[in-house]
């Protein structure tokens, strides 16, 4: 009896062996191999540890890294900690421990758990965003951006989370709620540090074409950047010297503009009020300022107030009333719109409610609609009620109108982006201090680069104050400093950076993590960057994944690196959920920890089961019981190799065919990331090998070795052990990925006689394995002009005769 599969002993043995003899190409050999950088989105060290859902992503990236290693690449596969920011700080506050202490503990725990995955991580490259040697460079980038005019201060009403007690970026507000805690976001007027990401809008949009990313993510970024083409049109205010400029994507509808609406925050909003309307106007402006964004954007009953003033439609001289309404956003376009109720849903609702005239200017079939019950929003039809534009095709006019308006001197062609500058300051403790000193004479002055890092001071009270100031503001000894320019007393900036600051560039640091002189040496950056494959969840589509593209472009512009897209290929894995698709969470009590499964079944079984649960890009429900099947399969495969390894057998033609087909199937499925079908493929082939071994008395060694190599990225311990049992020296990961021979894969062809009523009429060539249906079809095709009567019977004597019986 051969030794049974003992996962505990095998896994322990290979962990030790890998520690002594790492399998990745070593640093001194690096230049001789092409690099492959496979990156996981680094975790924030949550106190809950990892569940089986986290494992999935890490297993996928490790399988991919090991596959690339087997192809001969030098693998960069690092891991680190996204440890600053709200999640870590909120957890610390809840537990009543200092965030520095709780993050350190959590890092240790998660690191232990990650090691259970047996991934190829290179811990010499480990980074932690809260390490001063790391955030020195996070601050350095900020200083560089400040010097380049990309970081600036601005006071304005920002998104404010009353529970996290901090300002938030637009990207952190999801359906009007705080991305972190789910609390409804309100507005607060605060002085903010902003990053001018809008300066990169066009490049961020265009360069999406370069990326091998899921279309879904590209679309989300495209929509978020939100480029739209249209025109600005100037409407003179009746009886005043001011003009109000509106932004419209539909200048073709100008003749149908029957009123105008300004955002309540518009600079002219108050001034346009008359004695009769002043009270109502001021109340409306005040009420709007108290409303949260959700309330304002939700498509419920429109509200508004007439200012008492009129504007002149510059196209036809018509006098149109100017209203205020909060459905117009202050910070998009010009904060003012011309309203065309006949062709815009929101305008239609507003006009109906406030009894404002509706003028149709586009007619689908040339006829005016008598009783409009809803807006006609398509840009197709003929222009009516539109003076000189009458009779034109609206689609044509839509394109030409901006130019015609420009020629008339009443407006200009413009482009607008939805993307806003990035609100970059947080009124919280646990983040990188913003390296700025406020001097009464010199203004905002950056901390000199050679004085970085500006370390986060230790505090007793790190809870958010809620006043709009960070807890750092209470530490006089830290706040009071001298101006680096003039030496006079000055005060430090007390806001900190958002949690996205470190993650926007961490992937660059992994290739040169101990460099004290530079963020990354150009030599190492050129040799090992950018990231070839990035694996993580889709929830970061417009946050981290947009911010890192922006940072990379900036660092490329200032010459730190010479590429401007960080991640060539992106793969988003689906979520592992509990029963009925419910997200795993501690509060729901449905979290499955990998720890027990590793103990009972071993790391290799859990790795394979993580992939077996379903297509990696889709969500999957977790069911512990399924791991049994994978475990049984690994036992069967183990026994297959152990039973046959001593036999001195030459591969038959059939064995060669099966071996090559297996290499082909596993490789192509792996290449297309169909990892669940790789696992089911292993199971099917295993059974086929068992059957064939029975028939032929055993399996040749090369076939067994091929199985071991193919298995290695998925079940690395067993792959190594089988490789060794088969008598090979060195690691299986140096064996090279097996290739397949298409000739050997081909099924044999045979010649078969085709008969009609027992008389041979033709000979056809078919595959030896062809089934009855396939054979008969080929036979009938060969004698089709002779099939004149009624077929009563079709017979296939496998490998010999096809006989069609006719009447
Ligand atoms: C007249 C018009 C007629 C419009 C029509 C639409 C249809 P996107 O594609 O999102 O850029 N708009 C402009 N600025 C706005 C603001 N600050 N708040 C709310 N709405 C605003 O949409 C641009 C259109 O949204 C503009 O074109 C404007 O309404 C409105 F049949 O102008 B339109
Ligand atoms: Zn100064």
């Amino acid at each position: 009896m051969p030794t049974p599969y003992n996962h505990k002993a095998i896994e322990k043995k290979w962990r030790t062996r890998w520690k002594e003899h790492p399998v990745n190409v070593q640093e001194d050999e690096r230049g001789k191999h092409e690099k492959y950088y496979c990156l996981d989105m680094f975790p924030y060290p949550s106190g809950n540890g990892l569940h089986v859902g986290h494992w999935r992503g890490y297993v996928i990236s490790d399988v991919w890294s090991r596959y690339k290693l087997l192809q001969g690449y030098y693998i960069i596969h690092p891991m680190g900690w996204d440890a600053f920011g709200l999640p870590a700080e909120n957890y610390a506050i809840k537990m009543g421990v200092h965030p520095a202490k709780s993050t350190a503990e959590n890092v240790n725990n998660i690191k232990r758990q990650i090691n259970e995955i047996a991934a190829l991580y290179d811990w010499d490259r480990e980074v932690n965003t809260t390490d001063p040697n790391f955030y020195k460079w996070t601050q350095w980038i900020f200083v560089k951006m400040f010097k380049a005019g990309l970081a600036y201060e601005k006071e304005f009403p920002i998104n404010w989370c009353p529970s996290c007690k901090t300002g938030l970026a637009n990207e952190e507000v999801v359906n009007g709620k705080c991305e972190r805690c789910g609390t409804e976001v309100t507005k607060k007027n605060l002085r903010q540090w902003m990053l001018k990401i809008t300066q990169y809008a066009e490049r961020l949009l265009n360069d999406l074409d370069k990326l091998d990313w899921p279309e879904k993510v590209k679309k989300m970024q495209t929509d978020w950047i939100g480029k739209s083409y249209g025109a600005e049109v100037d409407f003179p205010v009746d009886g005043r010297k001011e003009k109000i400029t509106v932004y419209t994507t539909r200048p073709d509808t100008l003749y149908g503009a029957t009123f105008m609406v300004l955002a309540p925050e518009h600079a002219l909003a108050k001034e346009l009020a008359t004695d009769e309307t002043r009270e109502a106007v001021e109340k409306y402006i005040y009420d709007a300022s108290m409303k949260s964004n959700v309330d304002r954007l939700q498509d419920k009953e429109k509200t508004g107030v007439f200012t008492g003033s009129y504007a002149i439609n510059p196209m036809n001289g018509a006098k149109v009333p100017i209203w205020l309404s909060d459905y117009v956003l202050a910070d998009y376009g010009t904060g003012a719109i011309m309203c065309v109720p006949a062709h815009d849903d929101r305008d239609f609702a507003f006009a109906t409610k406030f009894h404002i005239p509706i003028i149709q200017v586009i007619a689908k079939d040339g006829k005016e609609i008598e009783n409009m019950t809803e807006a006609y929003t398509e840009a197709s039809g003929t222009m009516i009620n539109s003076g000189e534009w009458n009779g034109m095709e609206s689609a044509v006019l839509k394109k030409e109108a901006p130019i015609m308006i420009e020629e008339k001197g009443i407006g200009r062609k413009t482009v607008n982006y939805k993307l806003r500058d990035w609100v970059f300051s947080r009124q919280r403790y646990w983040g990188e201090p913003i390296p700025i000193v406020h001097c009464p004479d010199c203004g905002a002055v950056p901390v000199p680069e050679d004085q970085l890092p500006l370390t986060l001071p230790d505090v007793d009270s790190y809870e958010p104050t809620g006043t709009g100031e960070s807890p750092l503001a209470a530490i006089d000894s830290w706040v009071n400093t001298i101006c680096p320019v003039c030496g006079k007393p000055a005060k430090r900036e007390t806001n900190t950076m958002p949690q996205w600051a470190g993650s926007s560039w961490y992937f660059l640091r992994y290739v040169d993590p101990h460099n004290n002189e530079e963020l990354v040496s150009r030599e190492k950056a050129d040799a090992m960057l950018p990231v070839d494959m990035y694996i993580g969840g889709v929830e970061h589509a417009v946050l981290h994944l947009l911010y890192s593209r922006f940072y990379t472009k900036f660092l490329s512009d200032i010459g730190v690196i010479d590429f401007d897209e960080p991640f060539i290929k992106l793969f988003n894995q689906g979520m592992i959920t509990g029963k009925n698709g419910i997200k795993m969470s501690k509060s729901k009590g449905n979290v499955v920890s990998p720890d027990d499964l590793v103990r009972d079944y071993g790391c290799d079984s859990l790795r394979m089961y993580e992939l077996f649960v379903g297509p990696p890009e889709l969500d999957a429900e977790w069911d512990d019981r399924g791991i049994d099947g994978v475990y049984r399969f690994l036992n069967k495969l183990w026994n297959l190799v152990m039973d046959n390894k001593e036999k001195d057998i030459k591969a038959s033609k059939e064995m060669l065919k099966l071996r090559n087909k297996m290499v082909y199937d596993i490789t192509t499925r792996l290449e297309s990331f169909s990892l669940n079908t790789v696992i089911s493929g292993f199971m099917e082939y295993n059974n086929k090998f068992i059957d064939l071994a029975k028939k032929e008395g055993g399996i040749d060694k090369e076939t067994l070795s091929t199985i071991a190599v193919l298995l290695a990225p998925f079940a690395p311990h067993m792959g190594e052990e089988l490789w060794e049992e088969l008598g090979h020296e060195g690691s299986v990961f140096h064996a090279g990925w097996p290739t397949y021979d298409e000739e050997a894969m081909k099924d044999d062809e045979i010649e078969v006689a085709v008969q009609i009523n027992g008389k041979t009429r033709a000979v056809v060539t078919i595959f030896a394995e062809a089934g009855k249906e396939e054979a008969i079809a080929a036979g009938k095709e060969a004698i089709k002009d002779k099939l004149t009567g009624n077929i009563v019977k079709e017979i296939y004597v496998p490998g010999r005769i096809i006989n069609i019986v006719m009447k």
Side-chain angles (χ1 to χ4, degrees), residues 654-692:
E654 206 167 336
M655 188 62 78
L656 279 179
K657 194 199 300 176
L658 197 57
R659 184 209 295 166
N660 278 284
K661 277 186 162 178
M662 177 182 196
V663 176
Y664 173 83
D665 275 341
I666 300 296
T667 309
T668 47
R669 291 174 193 189
L670 182 51
E671 280 288 339
S672 60
F673 256 74
S674 180
L675 302 175
N676 55 322
T677 68
V678 170
I679 309 300
S680 55
F682 273 127
M683 295 172 171
E684 285 156 23
Y685 277 102
N686 193 41
N687 290 337
K688 286 183 187 166
F689 279 119
I690 291 173
D691 290 346
L692 196 57

Side-chain angles (χ1 to χ4, degrees), residues 414-480:
T414 50
V415 165
N416 253 293
Y417 298 91
K418 292 235 156 62
L419 186 68
R420 295 282 84 110
D421 277 347
W422 178 5
V423 175
F424 197 68
S425 33
R426 297 293 178 274
Q427 296 68 43
R428 298 284 301 229
Y429 169 67
W430 194 235
E432 301 86 347
I434 292 180
I436 291 285
V437 171
H438 296 279
C439 167
D441 291 343
C442 313
V445 175
V447 173
E449 291 171 27
D450 61 5
Q451 287 173 26
L452 298 175
L454 170 60
T455 47
L456 183 65
D458 205 10
V459 289
D460 296 326
S461 168
Y462 45 80
E463 306 214 349
T465 62
T467 60
E469 282 209 272
S470 103
L472 294 181
I475 316 172
D476 288 342
S477 58
W478 192 77
V479 172
N480 293 312

Side-chain angles (χ1 to χ4, degrees), residues 228 247-250 253 328-329 332 337 343-344 346 418:
S228 80
Y247 172 66
T248 176
T249 45
R250 299 292 308 278
T253 63
V328 175
L329 304 173
Y332 184 65
I337 65 173
H343 303 287
D344 180 89
R346 293 171 306 173
K418 292 235 156 62

Side-chain angles (χ1 to χ4, degrees), residues 448-567:
E449 291 171 27
D450 61 5
Q451 287 173 26
L452 298 175
L454 170 60
T455 47
L456 183 65
D458 205 10
V459 289
D460 296 326
S461 168
Y462 45 80
E463 306 214 349
T465 62
T467 60
E469 282 209 272
S470 103
L472 294 181
I475 316 172
D476 288 342
S477 58
W478 192 77
V479 172
N480 293 312
T481 181
I482 51 163
C483 169
V485 177
C486 69
K488 285 196 198 129
K491 289 193 185 307
R492 286 193 191 285
E493 170 65 56
T494 57
N495 282 329
T496 53
M497 297 188 194
Q499 76 206 57
W500 314 102
S503 60
S504 294
W505 71 277
Y506 75 109
F507 44 91
L508 305 175
R509 187 67 178 171
Y510 278 138
V511 306
D512 199 6
H514 310 295
N515 192 336
N516 284 322
E517 308 304 317
E518 295 161 291
L519 184 155
V520 57
S521 84
R522 220 5 228 280
E523 186 237 314
K524 292 199 170 162
D526 289 349
M528 291 185 264
L529 293 167
V531 174
D532 295 286
M533 171 67 88
Y534 198 21
I535 295 179
V538 74
E539 66 274 13
H540 296 297
V542 291
L543 288 155
H544 164 60
L545 288 173
L546 190 64
Y547 296 151
S548 8
R549 295 183 59 222
F550 163 48
Y551 265 53
T552 302
K553 290 185 188 303
F554 171 69
L555 291 171
S556 170
D557 288 352
I558 63 168
V560 174
I561 47 180
D562 86 336
F563 51 91
D564 67 354
E565 281 295 338
F567 316 122

